[in-house]
Amino acid sequence: QVQLAESGGGLAQPGGSLRLSCAASGRLFSLNAMGWYRQAPKKQRELVAVIDTDGLTKYADSVKGRFTISRDGAKNTIYLQMNSLKAEDTAVYYCHADFLAVTPQGRSYEYWGQGTQVTVSS
């Protein structure tokens, strides 16, 4: 079993900052890319940022220049520094992990955290 423990969510004012963290634990063989997704009310879940084991990153256009994803040296913990927050950033943020190992059906293993609420409001 793999668990993704998220923390750091909460309430921030517009223009403020929050820092999210996600620590993976359990059987982490072949842990590969990790990332953050978010889902706002009445919207589909969307990619926010991802980072691979070499530190290469990708960001959604809506957060470029404001958010930064990083990964620790052990590769099992990621962070999301969220600056210049906007009301539109309000959502449940989910940690995601990809694994190189595959199921008997040939599908890659994927795990999701339970989500942490980020609310940006005055």
Side-chain angles (χ1 to χ4, degrees), residues 40-80:
K42 302 179 182 180
K43 297 190 67 176
Q44 293 183 317
R45 187 172 298 186
E46 64 178 355
L47 171 71
V48 177
V50 295
I51 184 167
D52 67 13
T53 55
D54 294 321
L56 297 178
T57 60
K58 292 183 179 180
Y59 297 90
D61 288 341
S62 59
V63 306
K64 285 182 179 178
R66 300 189 298 118
F67 292 6
T68 302
I69 189 170
S70 59
R71 192 165 185 169
D72 70 4
K75 312 295 185 182
N76 64 344
T77 303
I78 61 168
Y79 307 89
L80 186 68

Side-chain angles (χ1 to χ4, degrees), residues 3 7-8 11 14 30 37 39 42-43 62 65 115-116 118:
Q3 294 184 14
S7 63
L11 177 65
S30 78
Y37 292 71
Q39 187 165 23
K42 302 179 182 180
K43 297 190 67 176
S62 59
T116 183
V118 171

